[in-house]
Amino acid sequence: MRVNGRLVTDAEFPVNQAADRITVEGRNDAPTRMVIMLNKPRGLVTTAADEQGRETVYRCLEGGALPWLAPVGRLDKASEGLLLFSNDPAWAALVTHPSSGPDKTYHVQIDRLADSALLANLERGATVDGERLHAKSVRSLRSGQKNAWLEIVLDEGRNRQIRRLLKAFDVAVLRLVRVGVGDLQLGSLAKGAWRALTVQEIAALVPTAH
């Protein structure tokens, strides 16, 4: 593949499909944007190859006859749920950027019961390692005798943001599942399964993208 006449061998090389001239095997055409969603299982790392030999999310895509797709954002090894992949780095950057990307919704099981003070504190936020972390919104979903499930919505994606924020208030995460990105919902997609997004779903994630 050549971008503006330059030979590119890096599958994750960033391109601007609106401005760059992309030639694939001598043809002057840009690849069609493709986006898929995966229900990431717990225990997989979000990378193409892991130096420690751990299993990666690409295990779930094997045999799918897919073009090269890069993760759009990340879920850490212990987290699960909705993970996007795309072959368009410029579009992916819009999805993950705080100013243009959609909110991300998580269901989080914590190791204690949640009261109104905790919910308010999570929305108010805390400074952790020099970073100001907060949730856009938090609500209680259900409670047991010793733990509870919260719905936490983020409008930015910092590294391990929810775990670090909860830890600042002495709360541990037992389970963390991303259930939505914008209006796109994980729904009934089976654990480890994936599906391609429709043109309409892709457009709804970043309405300003072309």
Side-chain angles (χ1 to χ4, degrees):
M1 181 178 76
R2 293 182 181 273
V3 179
N4 300 321
R6 174 187 171 189
L7 180 64
V8 174
T9 58
D10 180 3
E12 298 187 28
F13 184 83
V15 297
N16 183 339
Q17 291 188 321
D20 292 335
R21 180 171 57 83
I22 302 171
T23 303
V24 181
E25 296 178 348
R27 298 170 299 158
N28 292 319
D29 58 353
T32 301
R33 178 186 295 146
M34 183 176 189
V35 182
I36 68 169
M37 59 182 286
L38 167 72
N39 185 349
K40 175 193 175 294
R42 187 172 183 170
L44 301 182
V45 292
T46 306
T47 185
D50 183 65
E51 66 279 1
Q52 299 179 39
R54 297 173 296 182
E55 286 194 297
T56 80
V57 290
Y58 285 91
R59 184 196 73 182
C60 301
L61 308 185
E62 292 175 354
L66 293 168
W68 173 256
L69 300 170
V72 181
R74 292 182 179 274
L75 285 173
D76 63 41
K77 181 182 177 182
S79 299
E80 52 195 296
L82 201 166
L83 180 63
L84 296 173
F85 292 77
S86 178
N87 61 347
D88 185 343
W91 179 86
L94 291 174
V95 173
T96 56
H97 197 280
S99 65
S100 57
D103 294 342
K104 283 79 174 178
T105 304
Y106 301 80
H107 287 176
V108 185
Q109 185 183 30
I110 60 175
D111 68 342
R112 52 167 278 191
L113 299 180
D115 55 21
S116 58
L118 175 62
L119 304 186
N121 283 337
L122 294 175
E123 291 185 0
R124 187 177 302 113
T127 300
V128 180
D129 299 327
E131 284 187 291
R132 188 67 186 175
L133 306 178
H134 77 283
K136 181 177 181 179
S137 66
V138 185
R139 69 184 181 96
S140 178
L141 292 175
R142 59 187 181 275
S143 298
Q145 292 185 335
K146 296 182 179 180
N147 56 63
W149 280 89
L150 306 178
E151 181 177 87
I152 300 179
V153 178
L154 301 181
D155 55 7
E156 57 182 356
R158 299 179 184 271
N159 183 42
R160 297 173 61 85
Q161 182 171 348
I162 291 176
R163 296 179 189 277
R164 294 164 64 208
L165 176 59
L166 284 164
K167 185 178 179 180
F169 296 101
D170 296 318
V171 180
V173 172
L174 302 178
R175 193 175 172 196
L176 191 155
V177 185
R178 184 191 285 159
V179 297
V181 177
D183 292 332
L184 182 67
Q185 299 297 305
L186 184 61
S188 60
L189 187 65
K191 190 70 61 70
W194 63 270
R195 72 169 179 86
L197 269 59
T198 66
V199 173
Q200 293 76 16
E201 288 173 327
I202 295 171
L205 286 171
V206 188
T208 57
H210 300 287

